[in-house]
Amino acid sequence: MDKEIDWKNLSFGYMPTDYNVRCYFRDGKWGDIEVSQSEEVNLHIAATCLHYGQEIFEGLKAFRGKDGKVRVFRLEENAKRICESAKGILMQPLPVEKFKEMVLKVVSLNERFVPPYGSGASLYIRPLELGISAQVGVKPASEYLFLILVTPVGPYFKTGFKPTNICIMRRYDRVAPNGTGLWKVGGNYAASLTAGEHAHELGYSAVLYLDPKEKKYLDECGPANFIAIKNGVYITPASQSILPSITNKSLMQLAEDMGIKVECRHITVDELEQIDEAAAVGTAAVASPVGEIDDLDTGKKYIVSKDGQPGPIVTRLYETLRGIQLGEIEDTHGWCTVVE
């Protein structure tokens, strides 16, 4: 490294690393994995990813554990999910084994960028697939580029694991009913930028979207899934518009392990009056506790955290998942892959 990295003060942003890995789909088949030191991609001006949004991506992390080993969390789940995203917008799915091979190779090549244990930082892994065929007709590409970059990132919570306030704004939808909400396509995130910036300007950390059809049920929470604890039960919205979060899936399993009942179902806005804890969950933060939910259309304020602290169940779930990722707690479900 050109200069010593201040691991404890990393931002959640991009930092150059040594290598990325790439694989091309041409002539009906995936090629060999290529290692590159370039931070650029050479694209034809008529590539389908530029014109028709044939672009999908994933996000996962590698951690240096208490024992010094490097662990990648649930990479098979990310491999399966990006395959579903590919199928959803008629891209060529990358085989799970090739995905796994690429992830382990890029982490191994950039192992010196995996932050040390105890720093609170991790190595963020960003796989993406692009349609690269040159065409101007609206149809799927015949050629694709799959690449994976990595970058060390700091902890999501710069001020500690504390509740933040979120808001409901009915004028915005993240996705359309029966649209692309359950796939991780770049267009979903572009569609959320205006609402997200509006929320930030008003002092909120995220928008809690409602279902785009009836505006009656809770949907996603910005780029994360929403969860709540109600009368000791873990509840999370059921919707075809929600990205199936691997973090949420993991937390649901941990909740069941702890003897906590889990319900994936429709949750009405009015039900927010009855919840005891809430969080936005995803790869970046694991669980971001919610202190208050303000409905900006009705003026209703739902106070989730009465004392300004995260709830006990959300805290326990967060600490357990983090402990598994860092090798502090036994990985009984086999979620972590150790990089040899």
Side-chain angles (χ1 to χ4, degrees):
M1 282 171 270
D2 297 331
K3 60 181 180 179
E4 198 65 28
I5 296 176
D6 184 0
W7 297 111
K8 288 188 178 294
N9 290 299
L10 279 177
S11 66
F12 198 89
Y14 176 76
M15 173 187 292
T17 52
D18 290 335
Y19 303 99
N20 57 80
V21 295
R22 309 176 183 205
C23 187
Y24 288 90
F25 182 86
R26 292 184 174 123
D27 301 320
K29 63 182 183 298
W30 287 101
D32 296 329
I33 297 171
E34 303 173 12
V35 177
S36 175
Q37 290 183 289
S38 173
E39 293 180 89
E40 298 180 353
V41 173
N42 187 17
L43 283 175
H44 194 283
I45 58 174
T48 59
C49 64
L50 300 178
H51 297 259
Y52 305 121
Q54 272 204 302
E55 183 275 347
I56 54 178
F57 70 101
E58 273 298 328
L60 60 161
K61 286 181 176 179
F63 305 85
R64 195 176 300 279
K66 190 175 183 179
D67 55 6
K69 294 179 180 178
V70 176
R71 292 170 172 81
V72 181
F73 187 69
R74 304 206 75 172
L75 65 84
E76 291 90 352
E77 290 298 318
N78 289 94
K80 294 173 187 174
R81 191 169 69 177
I82 202 166
C83 278
E84 290 304 309
S85 294
K87 294 172 186 175
I89 58 171
L90 297 183
M91 298 178 73
Q92 184 65 37
L94 184 78
V96 170
E97 284 306 309
K98 175 112 16 190
F99 180 98
K100 183 174 180 178
E101 185 181 354
M102 290 180 74
V103 168
L104 295 179
K105 181 181 282 287
V106 76
V107 173
S108 180
L109 287 169
N110 293 286
E111 204 233 338
R112 69 194 185 106
F113 289 97
V114 181
Y117 172 75
S119 64
S122 58
L123 187 73
Y124 189 78
I125 305 164
R126 170 52 59 83
L128 66 150
E129 184 175 348
L130 305 172
I132 58 173
S133 299
Q135 59 193 50
V136 292
V138 183
K139 61 180 180 179
S142 58
E143 297 184 349
Y144 296 92
L145 165 62
F146 197 103
L147 68 88
I148 307 180
L149 62 92
V150 298
T151 187
V153 294
Y156 191 82
F157 303 112
K158 288 300 183 185
T159 58
F161 182 66
K162 297 177 182 176
T164 62
N165 296 345
I166 62 177
C167 66
I168 295 170
M169 291 189 282
R170 288 171 179 77
R171 77 195 75 174
Y172 298 114
D173 287 324
R174 189 182 67 89
V175 293
N178 303 315
T180 59
L182 71 168
W183 306 312
K184 202 168 178 71
V185 302
N188 293 346
Y189 295 81
S192 73
L193 290 175
T194 298
E197 285 302 304
H198 190 181
H200 294 158
E201 289 168 3
L202 296 173
Y204 298 99
S205 63
V207 176
L208 177 55
Y209 291 95
L210 302 185
D211 75 280
K213 187 175 183 179
E214 298 183 74
K215 298 288 187 177
K216 180 179 178 182
Y217 303 104
L218 305 185
D219 210 83
E220 282 216 303
C221 189
N225 275 194
F226 179 81
I227 70 166
I229 307 299
K230 176 186 175 184
N231 298 325
V233 177
Y234 181 119
I235 61 175
T236 191
S239 167
Q240 283 299 305
S241 297
I242 295 175
L243 181 75
S245 163
I246 294 163
T247 302
N248 196 359
K249 183 177 181 179
S250 304
L251 292 172
M252 284 191 275
Q253 180 62 63
L254 293 178
E256 290 179 344
D257 293 347
M258 296 172 186
I260 298 168
K261 185 180 178 182
V262 173
E263 294 179 353
C264 184
R265 60 173 175 78
H266 288 313
I267 303 171
T268 64
V269 177
D270 293 341
E271 199 171 346
L272 290 173
E273 292 183 353
Q274 303 157 26
I275 64 173
D276 305 303
E277 304 178 42
V281 302
T283 299
V286 176
S288 178
V290 172
E292 180 177 307
I293 304 169
D294 293 350
D295 189 329
L296 301 186
D297 297 302
T298 66
K300 179 75 175 177
K301 293 181 182 293
Y302 302 95
I303 309 299
V304 181
S305 174
K306 307 297 190 293
D307 59 1
Q309 297 299 316
I313 294 178
V314 166
T315 299
R316 186 180 172 198
L317 289 168
Y318 168 77
E319 291 177 346
T320 301
L321 189 56
R322 288 284 292 150
I324 292 170
Q325 292 172 333
L326 296 171
E328 300 168 341
I329 295 174
E330 185 182 359
D331 180 17
T332 57
H333 295 289
W335 288 341
C336 296
T337 302
V338 175
V339 180
E340 303 295 344

